Amino acid sequence: MWSRRSCRYRPDASGLEELRARRREQESALRKARRQQQLVSKRLLREDSLVNGDGQAGVEIASEPLSEQEILQLLRDVQRGTEERKKLLSHLRKGLQHKETQQKFVRLEGSMQVLIGLFTSSLANVQMEAARCLHELSHSSDPAVAEACLPSTSYLLTYLSGHSVEFTELCLYTLGNLAVESDAVRKQLLPQGIIPALASCIQSPHVAVLEGLGYVLSQLLQAREAPTKIMPLVLDSVLPQHMLRLISSNLELGMGVAVEFAWCLHYIVCSHVNNMLLISQGIVSTLVLLLLELASMMSKAATEGLELLICPVLRCLSNLLAEDETEGCKVQIQDERLLVALFLFMQYFLQQHPFLVQECLWLLNNLTADEPIFCSAVLTLDLLPALLQLLSCSRMVTLLALTVLCNIAEKGPAYCHQLHQKAVLPSLLSTLALSDAQVVGQSLELLHLLFLHLPEAADDFLSQAGLQALEQHQDNPQLQERVRALSETYLQPAAASLISCAGASAAVLPSS
């Protein structure tokens, strides 16, 4: 009669497509937020400001697209070894900001060889300008342009231990751009040793280099072939230990570094390649402490962009808790302060970033699914009123909040008694008034658990016009069987008992 709820948040087959649709909506909102920080897709490093004739900073304006003849002439002039090579390359770079110039350039025979030759120059200023030209090409939306850059990848990897932070950063973002869409580039980078190169580079003390490295790694880890060909190499390297170190160090100075590596860890955890290794390296305790630190930062003025870090951390923990083989990770999470942090995030981001509320509730659901300590903490820390308030939010938030309440009620009479004392029934009457079958169905599940463990709750439900609230769903094919079962099993006996008690009371009244 009553379907057994899965202990952890996992979709059943019938709801899989709906879950995917919801997840696509959330990912769309997240991508929109991340685009503002240039965390998704290709990135472009440019000299955004130049000094104009009045000595004021002005925006760099790209030149017009170059013709094929102009490109040829530039290449001839730059090969003559004149002192104007940097200026010529700068002119070429501005032309390469146009897609048509990029396409013309890579089609010209020998053009890439000339550019790579300049990229390997011993003259630092020429090398840097050639690197900027390569970077413009790597940002092209034309896959053919990216593949034309294949001969440069070995040099880009070599120069990750370059002579300047700016140069190393430029090489990293160029590699990341090339790896985004081109299977051929990724296929070439792996045997060339990109993972060992990144493992060496991650020990850099420079924030700009670490952010660029995180960008490259995140592009690689999102590739289709990542679970089989890339992640095993990453997990066998020192990268995971350093990522765990970097996501929680110097947050105020390098939030971008933490964001990049948090998303990298999220991609690895979602792949299920070897999460036990990450657990043995302390990922759970590291992420819990990070969330506590982020919660402590919420009272400060500068909280912009925190959601971009909080989101992947929440997802990592939720996914780790949802794995059957990771029972050990649950033991590591015993800090009740984590619940306070989750509710603080939900309160703070409810209006501006509602997708983050869902992420918090998913983690809360997985924490309370089997663990009485967190169910008790929700009650003893007086977090239940805040949870009940979420029942009036969006459909998905309401569903997840109801699921958490079911987790608590499932623990037995003592928990149901406290739910009843905290006025859960009026909130359920409100959700029963909704037309959404899933929300109502989850509300019925919670009522079933309350009545099962606390029969007197059925009496109070009847006294609050609960039977009428149920009757409006008795003709719904998705709900009618459960409504009938709830009524026949709990409410009709309770109603009969109330009538009997009332009759007995009347029988002993003295006659007037």
Side-chain angles (χ1 to χ4, degrees), residues 48-88:
D48 293 325
S49 62
L50 296 175
V51 177
N52 60 29
D54 298 325
Q56 301 294 322
V59 176
E60 178 180 358
I61 301 175
S63 62
E64 293 297 318
L66 300 176
S67 67
E68 195 170 299
Q69 189 60 41
E70 287 174 317
I71 296 172
L72 283 170
Q73 188 60 49
L74 279 172
L75 292 175
R76 290 193 194 101
D77 291 343
V78 82
Q79 284 180 286
R80 290 175 183 160
T82 66
E83 295 180 359
E84 296 295 318
R85 281 193 298 182
K86 183 181 182 297
K87 184 177 179 181
L88 293 169

Side-chain angles (χ1 to χ4, degrees), residues 364-429:
L364 184 59
N365 174 67
N366 287 349
L367 285 170
T368 57
D370 292 323
E371 189 54 69
I373 184 175
F374 287 109
C375 293
S376 298
V378 171
L379 300 170
T380 57
L381 295 175
D382 200 27
L383 300 174
L384 185 61
L387 184 61
L388 293 177
Q389 287 179 3
L390 295 176
L391 296 180
S392 61
C393 294
S394 68
R395 175 181 178 275
M396 191 60 192
V397 167
T398 300
L399 275 172
L400 287 168
L402 285 168
T403 305
V404 173
L405 290 168
C406 285
N407 290 343
I408 297 172
E410 198 174 43
K411 300 303 180 290
Y415 293 86
C416 288
H417 178 73
Q418 291 196 59
L419 288 175
H420 187 43
Q421 291 294 314
K422 297 288 186 179
V424 72
L425 287 180
S427 297
L428 283 178
L429 288 169

Side-chain angles (χ1 to χ4, degrees), residues 453-506:
H453 295 299
L454 195 70
E456 57 263 37
D459 299 338
D460 289 345
F461 184 71
L462 285 173
S463 67
Q464 297 178 38
L467 192 59
Q468 293 90 321
L470 290 181
E471 287 175 349
Q472 63 181 320
H473 303 293
Q474 62 187 1
D475 296 327
N476 188 320
Q478 295 177 267
L479 302 171
Q480 57 188 8
E481 184 177 354
R482 299 171 72 181
V483 169
R484 183 168 59 252
L486 196 66
S487 178
E488 293 176 355
T489 306
Y490 302 108
L491 299 182
Q492 289 179 6
S497 177
L498 287 173
I499 293 172
S500 175
C501 290
S505 299

Side-chain angles (χ1 to χ4, degrees), residues 99-118:
K99 184 176 180 179
E100 53 266 48
T101 304
Q102 296 168 354
Q103 293 170 331
K104 291 173 185 175
F105 182 85
V106 299
R107 284 198 299 262
L108 285 173
E109 186 177 354
S111 59
M112 285 304 302
Q113 289 88 332
V114 172
L115 184 57
I116 292 173
L118 295 165

Side-chain angles (χ1 to χ4, degrees), residues 61-197:
I61 301 175
S63 62
E64 293 297 318
L66 300 176
S67 67
E68 195 170 299
Q69 189 60 41
E70 287 174 317
I71 296 172
L72 283 170
Q73 188 60 49
L74 279 172
L75 292 175
R76 290 193 194 101
D77 291 343
V78 82
Q79 284 180 286
R80 290 175 183 160
T82 66
E83 295 180 359
E84 296 295 318
R85 281 193 298 182
K86 183 181 182 297
K87 184 177 179 181
L88 293 169
L89 283 170
S90 178
H91 185 44
L92 175 63
R93 173 176 58 85
K94 293 176 183 178
L96 289 174
Q97 293 176 15
H98 301 277
K99 184 176 180 179
E100 53 266 48
T101 304
Q102 296 168 354
Q103 293 170 331
K104 291 173 185 175
F105 182 85
V106 299
R107 284 198 299 262
L108 285 173
E109 186 177 354
S111 59
M112 285 304 302
Q113 289 88 332
V114 172
L115 184 57
I116 292 173
L118 295 165
F119 179 53
T120 59
S121 169
S122 59
L123 300 175
N125 61 345
V126 172
Q127 187 181 43
M128 177 63 82
E129 204 58 47
R132 290 179 179 139
C133 290
L134 275 174
H135 185 64
E136 291 290 345
L137 291 172
S138 75
H139 195 258
S140 176
S141 59
D142 186 348
V145 175
E147 294 195 12
C149 296
L150 276 170
S152 69
T153 57
S154 62
Y155 299 104
L156 287 165
L157 290 174
T158 299
Y159 292 142
L160 291 186
S161 55
H163 50 75
S164 74
V165 172
E166 183 184 4
F167 186 69
T168 302
E169 179 189 25
L170 194 58
C171 291
L172 284 166
Y173 282 104
T174 301
L175 281 167
N177 288 345
L178 293 175
V180 170
E181 296 171 333
S182 175
D183 295 341
V185 170
R186 293 193 300 271
K187 187 176 180 180
Q188 179 169 288
L189 284 171
L190 290 177
Q192 287 179 341
I194 188 170
I195 302 304

